[in-house]
Amino acid sequence: MNRHITCPTCGSSNITQRNWAKKLFGAIGTAAGATGGFVGTIRGAQLGITMAAPTGPIGATAGGIAGAVLGGIAGSALGCELGSAVGKKIDQHMLDNWVCESCGNSFADSAN
């Protein structure tokens, strides 16, 4: 359900969301996920090497690289998703997330 939000100062409907916390926590989550994913990267590389070992050294190397890349990507994606979700809640409930493009007033969504 989309609500029509207007500026409480001037009544303009020309408003935008800042989403500062969502952006910040998404970036922090991505970095933390990538860092945590490093451990997963090592384990993924070990599994890739083990599973591809019967195919020879080239297969083991390729399997190790694939496992490492997938571990890092998975960690980053999960961290970004969790960080963005936390940031979105902070934007909605704690910050003046809306800004009026007409008068410059910033305000919180009173319905939250």
Side-chain angles (χ1 to χ4, degrees):
M1 177 177 157
N2 289 336
R3 295 180 307 106
H4 184 71
I5 299 173
T6 58
C7 175
T9 302
C10 71
S12 173
S13 60
N14 187 20
I15 59 170
T16 57
Q17 285 183 291
R18 294 179 180 176
N19 292 329
W20 287 345
K22 182 179 177 182
K23 293 171 187 172
L24 174 66
F25 280 82
I28 292 170
T30 300
T35 303
F38 180 70
V39 174
T41 299
I42 293 171
R43 183 67 183 139
Q46 290 171 340
L47 286 172
I49 291 169
T50 302
M51 294 180 74
T55 62
I58 293 175
T61 301
I65 292 171
V69 168
L70 292 175
I73 290 172
S76 296
L78 183 60
C80 181
E81 183 66 29
L82 291 173
S84 293
V86 170
K88 182 177 179 181
K89 290 296 181 186
I90 292 171
D91 282 332
Q92 288 176 342
H93 300 287
M94 299 177 73
L95 299 178
D96 289 344
N97 194 40
W98 297 94
V99 64
C100 177
E101 296 292 332
S102 298
C103 71
N105 179 46
S106 59
F107 56 96
D109 183 2
S110 60
N112 283 327

